[in-house]
């Protein structure tokens, strides 16, 4: 399945289950990646890395929800290329855990990939701090670990050039 077919199916599926993308807001989160010098267009195999991670997290029915805009090519502060994909969804499940918020909670996540670090999801306060610091092009670079959806007190997420605390 091509990315276009996948996106088209996701949009149709989202519309069929109540238009979650519209109900939760449709615009992608603005970030410093959009202002950075353009990275080369991602190859289909690189985009597949983000898609494979997305599927491993449950796809549209998982914690990530549905894509919120296209995959973006980015570079870190050292010029290393990577990809960013933003997602919006709603948490499902009976109870909240460290990796999943309470059922019905709107979620906003960003999956970040580079060849050297792999694909990792950023959520919550860690995601917000990372975006405000400049995203991949900022002082932290690419994540080397996935941020839990509801970070435990004192939890932090490792990046190429440091850590961001979860709260």
């Amino acid at each position: 399945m091509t990315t276009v077919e996948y996106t088209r199916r996701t949009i149709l599926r989202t519309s069929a289950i109540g238009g979650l993308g519209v109900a939760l807001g449709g615009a992608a989160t603005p970030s410093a990646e959009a202002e950075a010098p353009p990275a080369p267009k991602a190859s289909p195999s690189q985009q597949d890395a983000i898609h494979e991670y997305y599927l491993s997290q449950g796809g549209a029915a998982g914690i990530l929800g549905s894509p919120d805009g296209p995959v973006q090519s980015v570079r870190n502060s050292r010029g290393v290329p990577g990809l960013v994909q933003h997602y919006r969804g709603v948490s499902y499940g009976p109870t909240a855990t460290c990796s999943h918020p309470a059922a019905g909670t709107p979620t906003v996540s960003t999956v970040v990939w580079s060849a050297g670090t792999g694909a990792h999801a950023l959520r919550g306060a860690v995601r917000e701090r990372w975006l405000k610091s400049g995203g991949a092009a900022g002082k932290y670079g690419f994540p080397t670990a996935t941020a839990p959806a509801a970070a435990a007190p004192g939890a932090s997420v490792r990046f190429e050039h440091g850590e961001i605390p979860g709260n």
Side-chain angles (χ1 to χ4, degrees):
M1 177 179 349
T2 68
T3 302
V4 171
E5 290 170 333
Y6 171 77
T7 302
R8 194 172 294 134
R9 287 182 185 175
T10 300
I11 291 169
L12 292 174
R13 182 175 176 179
T14 300
S15 296
I17 60 173
L20 291 175
V22 173
L24 295 173
T29 303
S31 66
E33 284 92 20
E35 299 170 12
K41 186 174 179 184
S43 73
S45 64
Q46 291 171 330
Q47 290 185 17
D48 285 348
I50 292 243
H51 182 68
E52 290 298 320
Y53 181 85
Y54 174 69
L55 293 177
S56 77
Q57 301 300 302
I63 186 75
L64 296 173
S66 297
D68 188 15
V71 173
Q72 301 170 18
S73 296
V74 296
R75 290 185 181 275
N76 71 5
S77 61
R78 296 183 179 163
V80 175
L83 301 172
V84 171
Q85 173 72 64
H86 301 286
Y87 295 90
R88 288 188 182 273
V90 176
S91 177
Y92 299 99
T95 59
T97 66
C98 287
S99 61
H100 290 82
T105 303
T107 61
V108 181
S109 306
T110 299
V111 175
V112 185
W113 173 88
S114 77
T117 61
H120 299 285
L122 299 177
R123 303 176 183 101
V126 170
R127 176 184 177 272
E128 293 303 317
R129 288 180 186 133
W130 181 75
L131 289 170
K132 286 180 183 175
S133 77
K139 69 180 184 177
Y140 296 105
F142 294 111
T144 60
T146 292
S156 62
V157 176
R158 299 257 340 130
F159 290 81
E160 291 176 301
H161 312 298
E163 288 185 2
I164 297 178
N167 45 355

